[in-house]
Amino acid sequence: MNKIEFIIRLYLTGIMKSWTDRIDSTGQLTPQRFILNAMTELFDSLSEDDIELIRFRYMERMTLSEIASRYLLNERTIRNHTNPTIKQVKEIVKQATEQVQHAREVD
């Protein structure tokens, strides 16, 4: 399981929220809170169909081919619906990592 898959699974199962709340109960913008807030904003903007595709891909670990067969679509269509979200998740993680690095440099 790669890092992006892990983060998506944490978010969709609700574990990310409970961990973030335990790590930081002050409400300050820690890297964990940044990721949780950004992921919530991202997933709130998706259609139910797109969220279902992400669930099949990352929670059920279905291949693009399996998902395409289920929906009677081609793999490219599935990829076009999931890849933009995955790119945004990667960007969220990158920004959080940069935030941590910047904080370390300042200290």
Side-chain angles (χ1 to χ4, degrees):
M1 179 181 326
N2 67 40
K3 180 164 64 171
I4 298 305
E5 180 180 356
F6 181 68
I7 288 171
I8 290 170
R9 290 172 69 92
L10 285 177
Y11 181 79
L12 290 177
T13 59
I15 294 171
M16 181 182 286
K17 180 169 179 11
S18 66
W19 281 357
T20 300
D21 290 347
R22 276 190 227 146
I23 290 169
D24 175 34
S25 60
T26 66
Q28 293 180 354
L29 192 61
T30 61
Q32 294 85 1
R33 178 100 29 218
F34 173 83
I35 290 173
L36 176 65
N37 292 348
M39 293 283 290
T40 300
E41 185 177 324
L42 172 61
F43 277 83
D44 284 351
S45 74
L46 298 176
S47 71
E48 288 299 318
D49 289 339
D50 286 345
I51 292 172
E52 187 171 306
L53 294 176
I54 298 289
R55 281 187 192 281
F56 283 140
R57 185 82 173 114
Y58 293 95
M59 299 296 291
E60 304 296 327
R61 292 187 146 170
M62 293 173 70
T63 65
L64 290 172
S65 177
E66 291 169 332
I67 298 168
S69 292
R70 183 180 205 146
Y71 281 93
L72 303 174
L73 298 168
N74 65 45
E75 288 182 37
R76 184 150 206 55
T77 301
I78 303 300
R79 193 176 292 117
N80 287 342
H81 281 272
T82 57
N83 278 2
T85 301
I86 303 314
K87 286 179 183 176
Q88 287 181 288
V89 171
K90 288 178 182 178
E91 184 60 30
I92 290 166
V93 171
K94 179 182 172 196
Q95 289 175 2
T97 303
E98 289 171 354
Q99 184 184 56
V100 168
Q101 290 172 346
H102 178 71
R104 286 182 183 155
E105 290 171 2
V106 170
D107 290 341

